[in-house]
Amino acid sequence: MKLIIKFFAEITIKSPQVRKRFVSQLRKNLKVLLKPIDPELRIAGNWDSLEIITGDDPALQAQVIERLQNTPGINHIHEVHEHELGSLDELAELCVACFAGQLRGKTFAVRCKRIGKHPFSSTDVNRLLGSRLMESSGAAGVSLKDPDVEIQLEIRQQRVFLIQTRHEGIGGFPLGTMEPVLSLMSGGFDSTVASYQMLQRGILPHFVFFNLGGRAHELGVRQVAHYLWEKYAASHRLRFISVPFEGVVAEILQNVDNSQMGVVLKRMMLRAASRIAQRRGFQALVTGEAIAQVSSQTLPNLAAIDEACDTLVLRPLITTSKTEIIRTARRIGTEAFSASMPEYCGVISVSPDIHTNMRKVTAAEAGFNFSILDEAIEQMTSTDCCDLELELEGSEVETVEQALTGQVVLDVRHPDEQEANPLVLEGVEVQAVPFYQLNSRFAELDPGRAYLLYCEKGVMSQLHAQYLLDRGHDNVRVLRLPRR
């Protein structure tokens, strides 16, 4: 199969030097991403597009297309049939053989793109092919404005590409064409979507998570970070940094005025993130804040928060509605993760000040022991995102490799995964309880039985088993079946 990769439109308007650099980076990224899928795959390229030739295995071809659709820098992908360019009559015969069967009873239009010198124009091709297809296909007619079917082809010098299928990409710039940043990640809708938007713009967002006291929360955030890396950024090495912030939270609760707690907590996070960014060469910080979404995100409060550090703070969602943020999370596949994320917010002001100023904030921080913040930064841990699904140390949940008679297996995978690959265990009861319903439905289950949580990779099951264990449910384990 041959695929034609079309670049994001903004790449094509760059200067020749920048465009060459962007296309070169995209080609490098695709080699890293696609070779593990299909070692025989070949990538060629030119000024206008990249060409990919895959093997004949349909399953591998589908994996290649899916990976391309989630790679920043690609606007769309064409599946094509390639032929040598002969006469226009020969071209018409090819198009009749390839497309006529799709047109009976439908309106159509022919769109030809031509590169090179030829004794005919694109309009000549459109007219001739339209006439021949109309004669031989039983089509309802030609409609240039709103056809039922578009016949697309490209003529490049002496080659012809008949376009069979178009797959949409995510656009944006190739990863690695912009400087790295440090994204503050809580695992909720906002920080996850903000990180994705950095990826889509060609920026490498390394993740920093401030643990406010929840082990299950960290496991959940690790899962989201791994998902974003694996789906959209696996061509590069990204880091997940975890900073233990329990001591900082305790210090705020004890020594900071109630009305300023939220702003002070955000200032402490920015201070810590800024120092980490400076140590590791990250050029900016990224947050998921949006104007007036919560009390700490008013303009006066954001100004006070930003004053805590000199590092540039990017807020890609600053004017985005919550509805649009959730819609984006649904589109990129993180909605279910964020919706079920355990929340651990140890600093909640009863009467938060929504119009603070630096005089109030300075007074509020006067009694704060900053050595606690220093200690938290020194105790941070750093993990490659590719290893996050393996890094579950510290969990108290027992893992078993076989379900016994009398135990109940709870399949916590997404319903789409359950439908595509049903879990059937002989002699063992299996119940489908998607992970985003588990925490609310578990209380309805018989407390006298033992439950084994199952998912494909064992990460989401581990997360929710730990969450249930932390809440006193000692009848929970994780089922890890051998790879089939």
Side-chain angles (χ1 to χ4, degrees), residues 196-423:
Y196 166 79
Q197 291 192 350
M198 293 295 103
L199 287 167
Q200 192 182 29
R201 204 62 183 171
I203 298 171
L204 293 170
H206 299 261
F207 307 109
V208 60
F209 168 66
F210 293 98
N211 194 330
L212 306 182
R215 178 170 45 200
H217 189 185
E218 176 158 351
L219 290 174
V221 179
R222 283 169 173 257
Q223 172 75 353
V224 173
H226 181 269
Y227 173 87
L228 284 175
W229 168 80
E230 196 279 332
K231 192 170 184 68
Y232 301 107
S235 58
H236 286 73
R237 178 186 179 189
L238 296 184
R239 303 292 293 179
F240 179 89
I241 298 168
S242 178
V243 183
F245 242 47
E246 298 96 327
V248 174
V249 169
E251 182 70 9
I252 290 175
L253 289 171
Q254 293 174 14
N255 296 309
V256 173
D257 181 80
N258 184 280
S259 66
Q260 305 299 317
M261 285 182 176
V263 168
V264 170
L265 176 62
K266 292 291 182 68
R267 283 168 59 86
M268 296 300 170
M269 289 179 175
L270 281 197
R271 285 188 175 104
S274 179
R275 286 164 60 178
I276 295 169
Q278 290 171 10
R279 288 182 186 180
R280 296 183 176 242
F282 303 142
Q283 300 297 303
L285 306 179
V286 179
T287 79
E289 291 160 319
I291 283 291
Q293 192 174 113
V294 296
S295 61
S296 65
Q297 295 175 18
T298 63
L299 284 177
N301 289 6
L302 289 174
I305 291 169
D306 280 359
E307 195 274 340
C309 75
D310 295 329
T311 307
L312 173 65
V313 179
L314 303 176
R315 294 184 171 91
L317 307 181
I318 194 65
T319 62
T320 310
S321 70
K322 193 70 173 185
T323 300
E324 182 61 30
I325 293 170
I326 294 175
R327 186 180 297 121
T328 301
R330 183 177 305 127
R331 175 171 57 82
I332 66 176
T334 61
E335 179 189 24
F337 296 130
S338 297
S340 64
M341 190 67 62
E343 290 292 344
Y344 291 89
C345 186
V347 179
I348 302 176
S349 298
V350 176
S351 300
D353 187 346
I354 62 174
H355 294 96
T356 196
N357 55 54
M358 284 311 304
R359 178 183 57 80
K360 295 178 183 178
V361 172
T362 301
E365 291 183 349
F368 187 90
N369 182 359
F370 279 88
S371 66
I372 295 176
L373 180 65
D374 298 335
E375 183 179 353
I377 296 171
E378 293 307 314
Q379 292 179 352
M380 71 180 186
T381 59
S382 180
T383 308
D384 273 340
C385 283
C386 62
D387 295 328
L388 286 176
E389 66 173 347
L390 305 176
E391 290 249 337
L392 296 173
E393 70 277 0
S395 173
E396 300 172 359
V397 179
E398 180 183 351
T399 299
V400 300
E401 296 184 352
Q402 182 179 5
L404 304 177
T405 302
Q407 295 177 331
V408 180
V409 175
L410 301 182
D411 186 348
V412 302
R413 295 175 296 167
H414 190 281
D416 291 346
E417 294 182 82
Q418 295 172 356
E419 183 179 356
N421 188 20
L423 179 64

